[in-house]
């Protein structure tokens, strides 16, 4: 992914800033600008997630494309945040440690590298809580 | 709306075909289909080509015009449309062609699918396939396509007790079917042990749980049902062509152990066709990974939720079993040239219904189903075909 495209979503990627529909009290991460229930009647505000949640499923990646291949094996999971939404993220832990139902909290970490210039991407990962 | 029939079938051999270009593959499948229908290219009124990612795989877009041009259909300036829905591009090209004929917009249409994947390296191909997921919120954080299906497998094992051996049996069975298919990429038989000792790709999925990277093309000729006998003695009738969408990201789905769009598309198809699940004699389902076939046969409601694994291990889905699944060898053994897969599924079912499937023939097959999934379930296309 090129730099401007990645940077556009930096507040969300770095700080877990998503959105909330004030009309139906639904939280969105990744952020949505249209509420899927209320559509145009929705009232969307930015929302800073607490960063706590649990693992609902997980895998350990052994084979990855170029920008992640140096980091294999790494643990990837779907995390359900306490506010409700789910997101895909890496868990910083040993592959044998991760379990379905495990409590996790967000941390700011290096995500990957890309291209010959070695552009480094940062973002949110999770650690066992 | 009028009824539509398939009167011509074409499909190349699937595999790593370094001596054949994108154009060569399409021309081969297209001409085979026209030949089969006893038709000349001059009669074709429109073309729909399913293709996922020629831009990345061969750095060529605008392939609608390209395939019309190189197959000689440009002399009539036929409308030629590329259709894209990731791995469901072929299924969607078929449905687009069916709608064009059913609506009386066109009489004679070719629906084709094509993918030339092996001109780039495996790592780059893997990244191209990751584009079927959400680039911003899945791929960008390190999700791979096998990784997303691995997370469904993990959840399915956790919720229903699906075992490693049951997953492996999907691959074993599909290689057995593939061994009888002259077009299949892999014609070797494998064992449960060889699957569970193959290298880990994304735990719990291993190399032999994954469909391969493949070159290939397939095409069918569609006509109004009332004209079908002009072209063939064995027309195959389209009883339903349905499609459903869901969220592009796996993490936004209602369930991680079902593909809801499969159930919705199938319900719509059975309602349109006025048929029951028990009427289906043979089906081609989207087994991009072993877990995908187990979820498919459950979500299509051939088996109760959670019973797909045990049914597979019991042999219910093999040729000779209760409902033979993926007689072509599926994506796993026949190969998975992504844009071509949905059309190949229809070619396989049509051959079964014609009684032309050779050693892998399902005795007395009259009604069949195809199930084609884009991404992790963001698009599903289901067709019901009958002789
Ligand atoms: Zn709302």
């Amino acid at each position: 992914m090129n730099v401007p495209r990645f940077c556009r979503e930096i507040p969300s990627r770095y700080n877990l800033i998503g959105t909330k529909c004030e009309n139906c009290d639904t939280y969105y991460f990744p952020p949505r600008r249209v509420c899927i229930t209320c559509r145009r009647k929705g009232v969307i505000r930015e929302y800073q997630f607490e960063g706590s949640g649990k693992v609902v499923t997980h895998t350990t990646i052994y084979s990855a494309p170029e920008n992640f291949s140096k980091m294999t094996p790494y643990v990837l999971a779907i995390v359900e945040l306490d506010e409700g939404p789910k997101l895909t993220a890496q868990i910083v832990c040993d592959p044998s440690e991760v379990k379905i139902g495990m409590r996790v909290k967000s941390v700011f970490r290096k995500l990957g590298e890309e291209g010959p210039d070695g552009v480094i991407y940062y973002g949110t990962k999770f650690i066992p809580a | 709306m009028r009824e539509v029939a398939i009167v011509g079938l074409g499909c190349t051999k699937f595999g790593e075909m370094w001596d054949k270009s994108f154009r060569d593959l399409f021309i081969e499948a297209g001409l085979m289909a026209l030949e089969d229908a006893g038709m000349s290219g001059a009669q074709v009124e429109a073309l729909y080509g399913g293709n996922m990612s020629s831009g990345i795989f061969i750095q060529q877009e605008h392939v609608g015009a390209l395939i019309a041009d190189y197959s000689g259909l440009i002399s009539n300036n036929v409308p030629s449309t590329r259709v894209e829905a990731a791995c469901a591009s072929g299924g969607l090209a078929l449905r687009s062609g069916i709608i064009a004929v059913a609506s009386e917009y066109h009489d004679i249409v070719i629906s084709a699918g094509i993918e030339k994947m092996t001109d780039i390296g495996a790592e780059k191909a893997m990244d191209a396939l990751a584009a079927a997921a959400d680039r911003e919120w899945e791929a960008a954080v390190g999700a791979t396509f096998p990784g997303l299906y691995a997370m469904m497998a993990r959840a399915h094992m956790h919720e229903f007790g699906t075992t490693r051996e049951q997953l492996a049996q999907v691959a074993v069975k599909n290689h057995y079917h593939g061994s009888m298919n002259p077009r299949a990429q892999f014609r070797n038989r494998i064992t449960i042990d060889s699957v569970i000792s193959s290298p880990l790709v994304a735990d719990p999925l291993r190399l032999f749980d994954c469909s391969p990277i493949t070159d290939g093309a397939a095409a069918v000729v569609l006509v109004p049902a009332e004209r079908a006998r002009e072209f063939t003695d064995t027309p195959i009738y389209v009883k339903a062509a349905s499609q459903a969408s869901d969220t592009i990201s796996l993490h936004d789905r209602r369930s991680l152990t079902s593909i809801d769009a499969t159930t919705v598309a199938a319900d719509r198809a059975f309602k349109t066709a006025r048929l029951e699940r028990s009427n289906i004699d043979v089906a081609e389902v989207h087994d991009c990974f072993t877990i995908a076939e187990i979820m498919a046969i459950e979500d299509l409601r051939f088996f109760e939720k959670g019973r797909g694994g045990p049914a597979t291990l019991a042999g219910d889905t093999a040729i000779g079993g209760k409902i033979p699944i993926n007689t072509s060898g599926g994506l796993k053994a026949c190969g998975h040239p992504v844009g071509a897969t949905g059309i190949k599924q229809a070619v396989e079912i049509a051959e079964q219904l014609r009684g032309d499937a050779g050693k892998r023939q399902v005795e007395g097959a009259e009604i069949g189903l195809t199930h084609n999934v884009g991404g992790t379930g963001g698009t599903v296309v289901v067709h019901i075909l009958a002789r």
Side-chain angles (χ1 to χ4, degrees):
Chain A
M1 192 179 291
N2 64 27
V3 176
R5 182 169 172 198
F6 191 87
C7 292
R8 203 175 295 137
E9 303 290 346
I10 272 184
S12 297
R13 293 192 195 282
Y14 283 16
N15 302 318
L16 271 187
I17 292 174
T19 54
K20 181 189 176 190
C21 175
E22 302 283 358
N23 195 43
C24 68
D25 274 341
T26 305
Y27 295 87
Y28 291 111
F29 195 93
R32 285 179 188 260
R33 273 90 193 178
V34 177
C35 173
I36 60 169
T37 311
C38 312
R39 300 194 182 108
R40 276 188 300 167
K41 293 197 186 75
V43 181
I44 296 283
R45 302 261 184 266
E46 273 196 355
Y47 176 80
Q48 165 77 61
F49 283 88
E50 297 293 332
S52 299
K54 63 171 191 203
V55 169
V56 290
T57 187
H58 60 88
T59 178
T60 301
I61 306 283
Y62 289 87
S63 173
E66 227 171 358
N67 18 341
F68 292 98
S69 57
K70 279 189 215 153
M71 301 161 79
T72 56
Y74 57 88
V75 177
L76 188 81
I78 292 180
V79 172
E80 184 176 348
L81 297 169
D82 289 343
E83 291 92 339
K86 298 191 206 65
L87 73 155
T88 303
Q90 291 183 34
I91 312 288
V92 187
C93 72
D94 189 82
S96 62
E97 217 182 317
V98 62
K99 299 275 178 299
I100 290 177
M102 184 170 89
R103 295 285 308 168
V104 289
K105 63 178 186 194
S106 63
V107 289
F108 178 69
R109 290 285 157 86
K110 176 180 152 183
L111 267 186
E113 278 177 48
E114 191 171 293
D117 311 331
V119 178
I120 295 176
Y121 293 105
Y122 293 91
T124 299
K125 293 187 181 180
F126 286 79
I127 56 171
Chain B
M1 292 249 285
R2 59 182 174 180
E3 195 175 14
V4 178
I6 298 174
V7 297
L9 309 175
C11 188
T12 66
K13 185 165 175 3
F14 280 11
E16 277 187 58
M17 299 200 281
W18 290 346
D19 56 333
K20 286 192 177 147
S21 71
F22 184 96
R23 319 172 186 210
D24 296 336
L25 289 166
F26 172 76
I27 293 165
E28 188 181 331
L31 292 183
M32 218 185 289
L34 283 172
E35 180 81 38
D36 186 44
M39 195 182 274
S40 88
Q43 293 170 272
V44 176
E45 293 173 24
L47 195 57
Y48 292 89
N51 172 260
M52 172 180 171
S53 201
S54 58
I56 299 178
F57 289 125
I58 60 163
Q59 295 184 297
Q60 175 73 60
E61 307 289 14
H62 204 184
V63 296
L66 178 78
I67 59 178
D69 182 1
Y70 274 76
S71 52
L73 298 177
I74 217 64
S75 50
N76 295 344
N77 303 94
V78 294
S80 178
T81 308
R82 172 185 175 175
V83 178
E84 192 273 321
C87 333
S89 300
L92 208 50
L94 177 57
R95 183 165 185 265
S96 303
I98 290 167
I99 290 171
V101 177
S103 65
E104 304 187 18
Y105 225 97
H106 294 295
D107 269 356
I108 297 177
V109 169
I110 292 185
S111 282
I114 176 164
E115 210 78 51
K116 174 72 194 172
M117 301 173 74
T118 65
D119 278 358
I120 59 174
E123 264 198 0
K124 284 209 168 67
M126 198 170 182
D127 191 52
L129 294 173
D134 186 337
R135 181 65 80 182
E136 304 260 359
W137 300 108
E138 294 183 313
V141 300
T144 61
F145 210 56
L148 295 168
Y149 273 91
M151 291 199 286
M152 292 195 252
R154 173 82 62 207
H156 204 279
M157 292 164 108
H158 182 78
E159 194 172 337
F160 301 110
T162 300
T163 66
R164 205 26 284 199
E165 286 70 23
Q166 292 165 0
L167 292 175
Q169 182 57 30
V170 172
V172 171
K173 184 261 300 172
N174 287 348
H175 271 253
Y176 165 59
H177 290 173
S179 73
M180 298 181 280
N181 183 357
R183 290 189 197 104
Q185 182 165 5
F186 299 124
R187 302 195 57 196
N188 59 318
R189 295 185 62 174
I190 58 170
T191 62
I192 286 184
D193 275 350
S194 60
V195 180
I196 60 185
S197 59
S198 64
L200 275 165
V201 173
D203 190 33
L205 299 182
R206 293 170 178 272
L207 188 63
F208 283 12
D209 287 297
C210 308
S211 55
I213 286 169
T214 310
D215 303 326
V220 295
V221 181
L222 304 167
V223 302
E226 73 257 20
R227 290 189 58 189
R229 297 271 168 189
E230 289 174 37
F231 307 102
T232 179
D233 295 332
T234 51
I236 301 301
Y237 299 98
V238 177
K239 293 297 171 189
S242 71
Q243 178 188 347
S245 308
D246 201 341
T247 64
I248 184 154
S249 296
L250 177 63
H251 54 234
D252 281 333
R253 302 271 166 75
R254 178 195 65 84
S255 165
L256 298 173
T257 54
S258 292
I259 291 182
D260 283 352
T262 292
T263 308
V264 173
D267 284 347
R268 287 174 183 165
F270 280 101
K271 193 173 169 219
T272 304
R274 297 204 183 94
L275 291 167
E276 306 294 330
R277 265 68 175 180
S278 57
N279 295 125
I280 301 297
D281 299 311
V282 56
E284 288 281 298
V285 310
H286 199 92
D287 61 320
C288 48
F289 300 93
T290 50
I291 183 63
E293 178 167 318
I294 287 176
M295 290 194 299
I297 60 179
E298 295 171 350
D299 297 337
L300 288 165
R301 303 259 195 272
F302 292 145
F303 296 95
E304 244 175 81
K305 200 68 212 169
R307 301 302 300 162
T312 302
L313 204 54
D316 291 349
T317 57
I319 294 170
K322 210 169 124 199
I323 173 159
I325 301 286
N326 284 331
T327 55
S328 70
L331 283 57
K332 173 69 189 88
C334 189
H336 183 28
V338 280
T341 284
I343 302 286
K344 179 224 75 183
Q345 294 178 325
V347 169
E348 174 70 15
I349 293 298
E351 283 190 347
Q352 286 284 354
L353 303 181
R354 284 176 170 187
D356 285 347
K359 278 194 213 162
R360 56 188 201 290
Q361 182 64 45
V362 173
E363 282 312 312
E366 291 183 0
I367 302 173
L369 176 146
T370 65
H371 164 257
N372 194 195
V373 178
T376 55
T379 300
V380 173
V381 187
V382 169
H383 287 94
I384 298 177
L385 306 176
R387 76 174 185 209

